[in-house]
Amino acid sequence: MPSRGSKQKKRATMRLVYIDFWSALKMSFLVSIIVAAITVVIGLLIWSALERFGLVAAASNFLEDIAGAQGADLVAGLTFPNVMTFTLVVALLEVIVVSALGAIFAALFNLAVHVVGGWKVTFGSD
């Protein structure tokens, strides 16, 4: 009867030689949607914190004291709608760029596999 310590470890070695282009595009799109939502939420939280602590008004008063009306004009455009519009534009661009990068990575991987022979992956139970 074999003892508990002499259990054999099972391992399976495989090579990843192809990434489906459309699957990579869909997966990177889903990841980018999640990251975009997090970006919008973080933008909203940062704006709320800055507004609650009065840092936007303090910056406006500080710049007005230093540069007069021109200093106040620098912060005049820093409103909630403008900040959220900027955040949404950044999130939209992020969705486009991350989705494209996922697809490009899959295409480059599929081209590189012909040169290097794939990516060796080992699965095992320890």
Side-chain angles (χ1 to χ4, degrees), residues 2 13 16-17 30-32 41-42 44 54 56-57 62-63 67 70-71 95 98 101 105 112 116:
T13 302
L16 179 61
V17 295
L30 289 175
V31 168
S32 68
V41 169
I42 287 175
L44 179 66
V56 176
F62 177 72
L63 289 173
Q70 292 175 345
V95 167
V98 170
L101 286 176
F105 171 76
V116 297

Side-chain angles (χ1 to χ4, degrees), residues 40-83:
V40 170
V41 169
I42 287 175
L44 179 66
L45 291 175
I46 289 174
W47 175 261
S48 297
L50 291 176
E51 191 68 29
R52 175 168 289 172
F53 294 133
L55 293 176
V56 176
S60 178
N61 291 337
F62 177 72
L63 289 173
E64 189 173 348
D65 289 344
I66 292 175
Q70 292 175 345
D73 289 342
L74 290 173
V75 186
L78 194 60
T79 63
F80 179 73
N82 288 348
V83 169

